Amino acid sequence: MNFGETEYENVPDYILGITWQIWEDRDIAALRRHYAPNIIVRSPASVVIGNEHVISATMATLAEFPDRTLLGEDVIWCDAPNNGILSSHRLISTATKSHPGLYGPASNQTLKYRIIADCHVANGVIDDEWIIRDQGAIVRQLEQTPQEYARKLLTHEADIDHWVEPYSYANDVVGPYTGFGNESEWAQAYADIVQRIMNAEFNVVPKTYDRAVQLEYPGGVTAHSHSGVDQFWMGLRSSFPSAVFKVCHQMGRNDKNMSPRAALRWTLSGKHDGWGAFGTPTAAEVFVMGASHVEFGPRGVRREWVLIDEVSIWKQILNFSEII
C-alpha cells in the first residue's frame, strides 16, 4: 500500500492514526474519507452495510461513553491484491458509562475491554471489516452476566418487533476482500495448534505453549500457563462438540524488534449440544465468530489473545430456547 505524501509512514501508523482521529480527536466525519460508502461491517451481533450506519453507531457510542479511548496494542497485517492490505488491529479500550444508552442507564462505571478488528484497505479507503468486541467484559463490569444482557436484548427486540440477526454464513455478504492471508510459517503454526485443539487433541497444549504463557480471554479474563489454555478452549469446544471449526483467515509477521506474531479469524458453527462454558445443552444452532492473536517465543506460544462475543452466543441460545 502506497501512502504517498500522507502523514502515515506505514500500515500500523495508518491504522492507529485514523482510529485516534475518529474516536479521540472526535473527527467522526473523517469516516466519510476513510471508509467506503458501502462498507460491509460484520460483528458477531449483526451484518451492517453502509458508512452512514457506522457514523451513527460511532456517535451513539461516544454519547454513552464520552471519554472512550482506543489504545492500539498491535497491528498484524499482510498485502492484498490491487495494492491493498488486510490488517488485524488489537486494541484495549477504556470508557466511563457516563450517560444512558445501549448498555442501560448511566452508572459512572469505568470499563476496560479488548477489541480485534480486521480491515481491508484498498484505493485509500476501508471497504470490508470484521470486528469483535469483548461484550462479556463490558456487561460484567456493568454488573450483568452475558446471559442476562442477551435476554434484555431479546426482550427489547421483541418489544419493537425487530429481531437483529447475529452474523452467520447464512446472512454474510461477499465483500471486496476474499483473500485468506499470507503464507507465514507462524500463522500456519498457530492455525495448526488451534485446529488440533478443536479436534480434541488437548495434549498439544504443553507441547506448543510456553509453560509461563500469558493469556487474555473473553470476559476480560487474564490467565497463565497450560491450565489456563486448557480451561478456556475446553470450555468453548465442549459446549459445541459437534460444531464445525473453520479457519477463515490467517496471517503472520516477523518484524524487527518484535516477537513473531500471528492472527487468525475463525468460526465455530453447529449445535449447542454439550456441557461447557454455555451451560445446559439446548440443541440451539449457534454461530461463533472468533479472532485470535499470538506471540511466539523460544518455548512456543508465549502470549495469546482470543475474543468471542459471549452475549451474541447467549442470544442465539436463548432465542432458540424461547422459540421451542
Side-chain angles (χ1 to χ4, degrees):
M1 181 175 177
N2 182 9
F3 293 97
E5 300 300 319
T6 71
E7 68 269 34
Y8 305 113
E9 297 180 0
N10 51 48
V11 171
D13 189 36
Y14 166 74
I15 295 295
L16 297 172
I18 66 171
T19 301
W20 178 87
Q21 178 186 16
I22 292 163
W23 288 95
E24 296 177 60
D25 197 38
R26 292 298 196 273
D27 189 2
I28 301 170
L31 282 162
R32 294 191 175 94
R33 300 194 301 277
H34 296 306
Y35 277 36
N38 294 318
I39 183 174
I40 304 164
V41 180
R42 306 161 193 82
S43 72
S46 64
V47 178
V48 174
I49 300 174
N51 196 8
E52 293 306 314
H53 293 293
V54 176
I55 292 170
S56 63
T58 302
M59 290 191 294
T61 299
L62 287 173
E64 190 171 5
F65 303 99
D67 66 345
R68 187 184 190 215
T69 65
L70 289 163
L71 309 175
E73 293 185 310
D74 198 5
V75 179
I76 300 172
W77 64 278
C78 67
D79 290 321
N82 301 317
N83 204 30
I85 60 107
L86 193 289
S87 72
S88 189
H89 182 194
R90 188 181 76 250
L91 313 97
I92 189 161
S93 183
T94 64
T96 305
K97 182 72 168 73
S98 303
H99 299 287
L102 179 65
Y103 294 98
S107 65
N108 291 318
Q109 177 66 46
T110 299
L111 309 180
K112 181 173 69 174
Y113 58 95
R114 278 190 169 82
I115 305 157
I116 294 179
D118 286 12
C119 295
H120 176 244
V121 186
N123 301 313
V125 294
I126 297 171
D127 56 15
D128 233 351
E129 184 171 9
W130 296 258
I131 183 168
I132 305 177
R133 303 172 186 87
D134 191 353
Q135 299 277 33
I138 294 172
V139 300
R140 284 184 177 92
Q141 291 170 87
L142 294 172
E143 300 184 353
Q144 302 176 67
T145 68
Q147 186 175 4
E148 289 168 343
Y149 185 67
R151 189 174 296 282
K152 288 182 179 180
L153 289 178
L154 285 171
T155 300
H156 173 70
E157 291 170 13
D159 288 343
I160 64 174
D161 195 25
H162 178 60
W163 158 250
V164 179
E165 184 177 4
Y167 169 60
S168 71
Y169 291 135
N171 65 356
D172 197 5
V173 178
V174 177
Y177 182 74
T178 56
F180 188 67
N182 63 15
E183 297 182 354
S184 161
E185 63 178 300
W186 304 105
Q188 188 59 53
Y190 185 48
D192 289 345
I193 290 168
V194 179
Q195 183 67 69
R196 290 181 66 184
I197 288 173
M198 287 294 169
N199 287 340
E201 298 177 46
F202 285 90
N203 61 340
V204 74
V205 173
K207 298 175 183 177
T208 56
Y209 285 77
D210 192 310
R211 185 168 173 265
V213 62
Q214 177 183 333
L215 309 159
E216 302 293 339
Y217 286 148
V221 171
T222 297
H224 296 86
S225 199
H226 301 155
S227 61
V229 181
D230 188 270
Q231 183 175 356
F232 167 71
W233 287 107
M234 185 76 76
L236 176 64
R237 187 49 160 161
S238 65
S239 294
F240 313 102
S242 67
V244 176
F245 174 74
K246 178 182 178 182
V247 174
C248 305
H249 195 271
Q250 62 182 63
M251 57 185 171
R253 297 192 63 81
N254 194 0
D255 294 312
K256 183 179 179 181
N257 297 328
M258 299 189 75
S259 300
R261 296 114 68 220
L264 296 186
R265 190 172 69 250
W266 47 269
T267 60
L268 191 60
S269 55
K271 290 187 181 298
H272 175 220
D273 54 359
W275 289 89
F278 292 91
T280 305
T282 61
E285 288 288 340
V286 173
F287 187 89
V288 180
M289 173 186 177
S292 311
H293 281 193
V294 288
E295 290 181 3
F296 288 90
R299 290 171 295 279
V301 175
R302 59 189 243 173
R303 293 188 181 91
E304 181 179 47
W305 298 262
V306 182
L307 286 184
I308 58 174
D309 182 346
E310 297 167 277
V311 171
S312 175
I313 296 169
W314 275 113
K315 186 180 176 187
Q316 295 171 75
I317 292 170
L318 292 172
N319 184 61
F320 175 85
S321 301
E322 292 176 2
I323 288 174
I324 64 172

